């Protein structure tokens, strides 16, 4: 079958690879209908997650049709149209029992790498390097879905493939942040990053009752989408002092909840950006935490800062004093997909959550490398490239 594979830092190529087989009784094989790029893939392409091997199939946000089921699969059958959580969860361990699905103890067959980095291993993720399991990803004609009873969800009739696609990762990640940061009715929420994740966080904040939602980015077409589809107010961080503007627009207090949806390759126009770039290139820090710093400084006293953007390890010049003295709650997570996907599909079925506008570029899998180029460089207004194998 054809698949988009990693050939080295910054390089992808469409190759012939063997079709996936059922390896475990809880697996299903899915024929991919749609699969999309995620900001997390850019961190792989830029070489900041150095646990890829040549030939690995990438991609973790996808939906498709079940074409084969393992002997122990109970709730899925051939022909089901399903969307699948990007992280893999067993459904049985302590973490899964506590709905912390991306922390699953049984889904990452290579725990040593993340144990070394973070003290404990996290769960596995499809198509996202050997640090999180080395699973083949979804940018292919077929993919193996482990523990399919836990991680796959039947798409209701009437919800389009493209709408459901984003329940797989962007919207479920956003819901993880909105829920676990404790957004309450009446809150003011500020979100850094207007990619798929940030936009979904804005819309879901409004759905859970936030009174005021800000989205911060510099790309006009994305800010326009955040205004149109999430009803958010927007701030271009290249034109203003973000923390000062947020204070001014919130009666001097600052947002109750700040959600960072930018990650380790944050852009920064000032001298701090140059400093972070140099330190990251010299490996004196692994990540550029520009937006996290800004979120911590902008958040109201006693508020909550949630890190959804992906970070690898160590950062420099982190305002820990502000976290402590302002009484902030600082939290982060990879997505706990199965906890949120059923509710997301209900919202989608009622047209309360629409996602189709994120799919700005739809193309055959053969054009995967070009799709990633557009997405990486944010060219031609690309928010997400969607591949239809
Ligand atoms: N926690 C999870 O489970 C999970 C899941 C999916 C994605 N992610 C992460 O979420 C982040 C966003 O993903 P995405 O798909 O939306 O990515 P994306 O690349 O489409 O969007 C990132 C946005 O951040 C903006 N940005 C850059 N620097 C900024 C700054 N200083 N201030 C404000 N905005 C800035 C960019 O202009 C861009 O629009 C990535 O780090 C990704 O790895 C995490
Ligand atoms: Zn992702
Ligand atoms: Zn588990």
């Amino acid at each position: 079958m054809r698949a988009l594979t990693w050939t080295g830092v910054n390089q992808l190529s469409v190759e012939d690879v063997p079709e996936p087989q059922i390896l475990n009784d809880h697996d299903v094989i899915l024929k991919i209908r749609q699969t999309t790029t995620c900001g997390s893939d850019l961190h792989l392409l830029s070489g900041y997650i150095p646990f890829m091997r040549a030939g690995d199939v990438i991609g973790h946000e996808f939906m498709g049709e079940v074409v084969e089921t393992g002997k122990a699969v109970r709730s899925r059958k051939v022909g089901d149209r399903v969307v699948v959580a990007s992280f893999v969860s067993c459904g049985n361990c302590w973490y899964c029992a506590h709905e912390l699905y991306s922390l699953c103890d049984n889904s990452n067959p290579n725990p040593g790498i993340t144990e070394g980095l973070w003290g404990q291993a996290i769960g596995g993720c499809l198509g996202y390097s050997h640090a999180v399991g080395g699973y083949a990803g979804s940018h292919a004609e077929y993919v193996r879905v482990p523990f399919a009873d836990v991680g796959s969800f039947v798409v209701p009739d009437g919800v389009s493939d493209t709408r459901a696609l984003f329940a797989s990762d962007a919207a479920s990640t956003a819901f993880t942040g909105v829920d676990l940061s404790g957004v309450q009715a009446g809150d003011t929420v500020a979100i850094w990053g207007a990619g798929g994740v940030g936009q979904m966080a804005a819309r879901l904040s409004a759905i859970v009752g936030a009174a005021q939602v800000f989205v911060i980015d510099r790309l006009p077409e994305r800010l326009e989408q955040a205004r149109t589809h999430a009803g958010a107010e927007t701030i271009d961080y290249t034109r203003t002092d973000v923390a000062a503007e947020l204070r001014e627009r919130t009666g001097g207090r600052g947002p109750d909840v700040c959600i960072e949806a930018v990650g380790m390759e944050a852009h920064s126009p000032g001298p701090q950006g140059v400093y972070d770039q140099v330190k990251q290139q010299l490996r004196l820090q692994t990540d550029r935490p520009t937006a996290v710093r800004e979120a911590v400084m902008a958040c109201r006293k006693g508020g909550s800062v949630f890190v959804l953007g992906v970070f690898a390890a160590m950062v420099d010049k982190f305002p820990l004093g502000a976290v402590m003295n302002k009484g902030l709650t600082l939290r982060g997570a990879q997505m706990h997909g199965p906890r949120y996907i059923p509710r997301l599909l209900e919202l989608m079925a009622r047209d309360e959550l629409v996602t189709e506008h994120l799919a700005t570029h739809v193309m055959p899998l053969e054009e995967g490398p070009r799709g990633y180029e557009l997405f990486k460089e944010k060219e031609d207004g690309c928010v997400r490239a969607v591949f239809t194998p």
Side-chain angles (χ1 to χ4, degrees):
M1 67 168 184
R2 305 292 278 165
L4 186 60
T5 63
W6 196 84
T7 60
V9 171
N10 261 329
Q11 281 181 324
L12 295 171
S13 140
V14 180
E15 302 287 341
D16 283 318
V17 304
E19 284 187 12
Q21 310 288 326
I22 299 265
L23 298 181
N24 181 294
D25 288 348
H26 296 278
D27 294 346
V28 305
I29 303 295
L30 210 68
K31 184 177 194 320
I32 300 290
R33 290 165 71 110
Q34 295 199 1
T35 177
T36 183
T37 58
C38 169
S40 300
D41 296 324
L42 300 181
H43 311 321
L44 291 179
L45 292 183
S46 310
Y48 293 121
I49 301 186
F51 303 108
M52 295 293 286
R53 294 187 200 140
D56 286 347
V57 179
I58 70 161
H60 59 266
E61 180 153 33
F62 62 100
M63 55 81 59
E65 184 187 327
V66 176
V67 292
E68 199 182 340
T69 58
K71 286 201 289 286
V73 173
R74 293 284 163 264
S75 54
R76 295 291 88 89
K77 60 182 191 315
V78 170
D80 281 352
R81 186 173 67 116
V82 297
V83 60
V84 178
S86 55
F87 265 78
V88 182
S89 333
C90 77
N92 277 319
C93 71
W94 189 92
Y95 290 99
C96 287
H98 288 78
E99 292 193 298
L100 300 168
Y101 291 100
S102 62
L103 306 177
C104 176
D105 261 343
N106 293 324
S107 64
N108 183 352
N110 306 325
I113 297 175
T114 50
E115 245 167 43
L117 275 173
W118 306 321
Q120 287 176 309
I122 63 164
C125 180
L126 293 169
Y128 206 68
S129 92
H130 294 267
V132 281
Y135 293 103
S138 60
H139 294 341
E141 291 176 67
Y142 298 91
V143 70
R144 178 174 79 95
V145 177
F147 302 115
D149 282 321
V150 183
S152 70
F153 298 85
V154 174
V155 178
D157 291 342
V159 174
S160 73
D161 285 1
T162 306
R163 184 173 294 184
L165 169 66
F166 296 102
S168 170
D169 191 67
S172 39
T173 297
F175 216 163
T176 303
V178 168
D179 183 34
L180 300 186
S181 64
V183 176
Q184 305 283 323
D187 274 357
T188 296
V189 182
I191 295 153
W192 277 255
V197 176
Q199 287 195 37
M200 288 295 112
R203 178 67 192 126
L204 288 161
S205 294
I207 286 174
V208 304
Q212 201 178 16
V213 179
F214 293 96
V215 172
I216 301 140
D217 204 304
R218 75 177 192 288
L219 301 170
E221 63 281 2
R222 291 178 175 220
L223 292 174
E224 173 64 33
Q225 286 194 337
R227 286 191 294 272
T228 309
H229 298 282
E233 300 178 40
T234 58
I235 296 177
D236 177 345
Y237 65 85
T238 61
R239 289 169 177 236
T240 186
D241 175 335
V242 173
E245 185 157 343
L246 282 171
R247 269 196 309 278
E248 197 177 304
R249 289 164 73 171
T250 56
R253 199 161 67 198
D256 303 295
V257 176
C258 293
I259 297 178
E260 192 271 3
V262 175
M264 63 170 80
E265 294 174 76
H267 163 260
S268 171
Q272 185 194 295
V274 179
Y275 170 90
D276 274 328
Q277 281 270 8
V278 170
K279 288 212 103 167
Q280 192 179 34
Q281 296 310 325
L282 294 175
R283 298 290 187 260
L284 296 172
Q285 66 176 356
T286 50
D287 310 87
R288 303 200 296 268
T290 319
V292 189
R293 287 191 195 112
E294 210 164 74
V296 165
M297 298 307 282
C299 193
R300 76 150 162 82
K301 291 178 279 183
S304 168
V305 176
F306 203 95
V307 183
L308 277 180
V310 163
F311 288 85
M314 304 293 178
V315 300
D316 193 16
K317 302 284 182 290
F318 184 75
L320 188 58
V323 174
M324 185 270 152
N325 287 286
K326 284 168 68 180
L328 301 180
T329 301
L330 177 64
R331 208 169 166 182
Q334 297 279 8
M335 55 91 75
H336 300 310
R339 181 164 172 170
Y340 301 106
I341 292 174
R343 269 188 279 167
L344 288 168
L345 291 172
E346 282 170 27
L347 289 166
M348 288 173 170
R350 293 202 300 267
D351 293 329
E352 284 181 50
L353 184 68
V354 296
T355 62
E356 287 88 341
H357 59 282
L358 301 177
T360 49
H361 294 70
V362 181
M363 54 186 71
L365 185 65
E366 291 296 325
E367 290 180 40
R370 186 177 75 87
Y372 267 95
E373 191 59 26
L374 288 169
F375 176 57
K376 183 173 187 336
E377 302 305 330
K378 314 305 191 215
E379 277 171 19
D380 192 32
C382 184
V383 178
R384 288 288 170 107
V386 173
F387 310 123
T388 51

